[in-house]
Amino acid sequence: VQLQASGGGLVQAGGSLRLSCAASGRTFSNYAMGWFRVAPGKDREFVAAISWSGGSTYYADSVKGRFTISRDNNKNMVDLQMFSLIPEDTAVYYCAAAPLGSRRLRLGDEYFYWGQGTLVTVSS
């Protein structure tokens, strides 16, 4: 599956952004989807994930209550709505797809396909 992330940009602290990830190539509903991020000088970090049906969602503690992940299997899209952004959210954000049956959706190794990343910069 091919993934194309978009929606990044520069925003002030306290602002919001909506990231989108468009999927193509395979049956989108066969995959759980996740968002990860890589901040400057840091390792890749799990942000959020959603099951193939959208019935289950998972969040990193650092974003819980501020970010919302959602998907539309009819449009082959997964979104990450980000509110109350803080400078620590500055990173390149990647969407990724994990096959059905994946259980450890907080782990990057579960994901087979990755998008190219979109940069989010939060200014203080």
Side-chain angles (χ1 to χ4, degrees), residues 4 6 10-11 15 26 37 41 46-47 65 74 77 80 100 104 110 114 119 122 124:
Q4 181 74 35
S6 61
L10 174 63
V11 63
R26 292 183 183 264
R37 66 188 181 186
F46 167 76
V47 176
N74 292 321
M77 297 282 294
L80 184 69
L100 278 177
R104 302 174 300 170
E110 290 288 292
W114 293 81
L119 176 62
V122 184
S124 57

Side-chain angles (χ1 to χ4, degrees), residues 82-106:
M82 306 185 293
F83 298 101
S84 302
L85 285 161
I86 59 178
E88 290 76 14
D89 294 320
T90 295
V92 177
Y93 284 71
Y94 298 87
C95 60
L100 278 177
S102 298
R103 299 295 184 196
R104 302 174 300 170
L105 294 180
R106 297 173 184 272

